Amino acid sequence: MIVFFNTLSGKKEEFVPITPGKVKLYTCGPTVYDFAHVGNFRAYAFEDLLKRFLQFMGFKVIHIMNITDIDDKTIRGAKAQGMSLAEFTRKYIDSFFSDLKTLNIAPADGYPRATEHIPEMVAIVRRLIQKGYAYEKDGSYYFSIAKFPAYGRLSKISLEELQPGQRVDVDEYEKESVHDFALWKAKKEGEPFWETEIGPGRPGWHIECSAMSSKYLGDTFDIHCGGVDNIFPHHENEIAQSEAASGKKFVNYWLHCHHLIRDGEKMSKSRGNTITIPDILKVKNNPAALRLLLLSTHYRKTLNFTFKALDQAETALERINEFAGQVKHGRFPEGESEAVEKIIREAENRFRRGLGDDLNISIALTALFDLIKKINVLISQEKIKRKDAERLGRFVDSMDSVLAVVSPTRKTRIGETIPAGQTDQGAASPDIREEETKSELKPEQLEKIRLREKARAEKNFAESDKIRAELAADGILLEDTKEGVRWKVVPVPRRPA
Ligand SMILES: [Zn+2]
């Protein structure tokens, strides 16, 4: 059983999709008036976790994420820079897609843009006019909240103070100014506009999501996500417009992600403490660790972003990667053991149950780390057999289909310590395994390892240390073991700009 906390009911509910085996998911995408910051990507990472978990549980997920490329903020920005709207938004759209890729966020099935769906928006406004929910004032159209008694159910606002007929024209406003909101804004000097059946103008922000979600997912769909900031007015207004127009329930489950703060403070432009994904990677170039950090706080808790927390995520990720490398690339004797199978089964159950309980990531990650701890003990006791290792490898892959952070560390034996006197034939060293070396090290790096072996054999430790340091700078860490030298390839941190 899967349960999610539904903002609409204010409690955890069992998740039952409309069509068995299929989930229709809509997530509010970026408003492309600036580079998205890490707080925005916290929400996108949470949505990715949700989607990957549903897929892991066997659901087919149809995911639509809109791009708001016209609203008050994009128009203001384009005007300030003397650019057309398309010209102005392009670089923010490009950087958004590039950051999604960096964070290994699986692509949605569609990224509809508001400017390409004006007729669909106009059609909804017209239906709302026909049904008596919308009215015109000076060429703009407004939604009459008094006509929709369910208004406020999602955000739990009180409508007692509501003055019928009072209007709000801006896209974003506080709960104190709950008023009839703009569906369509009349043409204004210096603003982009469309000639339509309801007159010249441009859409309000909220109608955009109502139009694009129903076009691609139908009048009623399963899950709608966003940040808590979206609950009011954006999502409240989406519900009002969509349900008034279609006469049907709009969305069954509303999931909202909480804020990300930075060093204990709210992140905002006015404080000057917003930070983007590329900014963070300039300091620490480890996107997978950043992804793990974004995922590892439960989505309904505030996440405090600090570089120290990112270091900790990196350490945790290294543990997973080393473990994955060991079970995937290590050599183990033939056989299998029941104990390992039991450990895996337990971990799988905890992982699934944890995420199935409103995406409780702590339980899921603890299940994984407990398994690593137990298996590492067995490895040190040489109790892991080949079949066990294969099973563990598959376990890691299946967990990672949800987490999407693992890249197994290669820690491969490349040769016995070469006895002195034979080092000149180093190139023919019998234990170098071609298929592994090719994919990992360049020939000149392999040659360096050989030269270091030679230096060590000749007790020229100054030379061998120098080569070790050179390789380390390339991210190749050497380890001398009784069986020979092993290496590990680690990401090389980029220097802060
Ligand atoms: Zn939206």
Side-chain angles (χ1 to χ4, degrees), residues 446-486:
L446 269 178
E447 183 55 26
K448 274 190 182 174
I449 293 176
R450 285 191 197 103
L451 288 173
R452 179 175 167 275
E453 288 299 279
K454 182 167 177 269
R456 261 163 53 84
E458 290 164 358
K459 303 210 185 310
N460 183 352
F461 296 117
E463 177 66 11
S464 81
D465 286 349
K466 190 181 137 243
I467 299 175
R468 174 197 282 275
E470 284 169 13
L471 288 165
D474 281 351
I476 299 156
L477 305 183
L478 300 182
E479 189 190 336
D480 296 309
T481 72
K482 57 180 195 283
E483 293 119 6
V485 62
R486 293 164 183 251

Side-chain angles (χ1 to χ4, degrees), residues 254-266:
W254 288 88
L255 273 61
H256 290 102
C257 178
H258 280 239
H259 291 114
L260 178 145
I261 57 173
R262 184 176 173 195
D263 299 314
E265 284 188 27
K266 192 175 188 282

Side-chain angles (χ1 to χ4, degrees), residues 55 98 161 238 261 264 267 331 334 425 447 478 495:
Q55 288 167 334
S98 142
E161 309 278 303
E238 278 187 43
I261 57 173
M267 221 168 52
R331 291 175 197 173
E334 284 304 316
Q425 299 125 42
E447 183 55 26
L478 300 182
R495 279 167 197 282

Side-chain angles (χ1 to χ4, degrees), residues 119-167:
E120 288 86 346
M121 296 170 203
V122 170
I124 296 181
V125 178
R126 292 183 74 198
R127 201 169 330 146
L128 291 172
I129 298 166
Q130 282 160 15
K131 289 185 149 191
Y133 289 102
Y135 62 90
E136 189 257 358
K137 176 84 183 146
D138 301 329
S140 293
Y141 291 83
Y142 297 88
F143 187 94
S144 173
I145 289 177
K147 300 267 171 62
F148 190 75
Y151 194 86
R153 226 173 39 186
L154 183 75
S155 54
K156 327 284 184 244
I157 51 161
S158 154
L159 294 180
E160 278 171 21
E161 309 278 303
L162 182 66
Q163 302 285 315
Q166 279 198 350
R167 287 174 296 276

Side-chain angles (χ1 to χ4, degrees), residues 78-143:
K79 228 175 176 174
Q81 299 203 9
M83 288 178 172
S84 74
L85 197 60
E87 217 182 335
F88 173 74
T89 55
R90 191 176 306 124
K91 61 180 173 296
Y92 303 121
I93 294 174
D94 290 347
S95 86
F96 165 71
F97 282 116
S98 142
D99 291 347
L100 282 186
K101 228 176 174 175
T102 301
L103 289 177
N104 208 8
I105 290 174
D109 296 282
Y111 294 97
R113 296 180 188 194
T115 50
E116 291 166 5
H117 293 79
I118 303 294
E120 288 86 346
M121 296 170 203
V122 170
I124 296 181
V125 178
R126 292 183 74 198
R127 201 169 330 146
L128 291 172
I129 298 166
Q130 282 160 15
K131 289 185 149 191
Y133 289 102
Y135 62 90
E136 189 257 358
K137 176 84 183 146
D138 301 329
S140 293
Y141 291 83
Y142 297 88
F143 187 94

Side-chain angles (χ1 to χ4, degrees), residues 26-29 66 68 205-206 208-209 224-225 230 234-235 238:
Y26 186 88
T27 61
C28 285
N66 70 293
T68 297
W205 171 36
H206 317 295
E208 299 179 4
C209 283
H224 194 314
C225 296
N230 291 144
H234 186 50
H235 290 164
E238 278 187 43

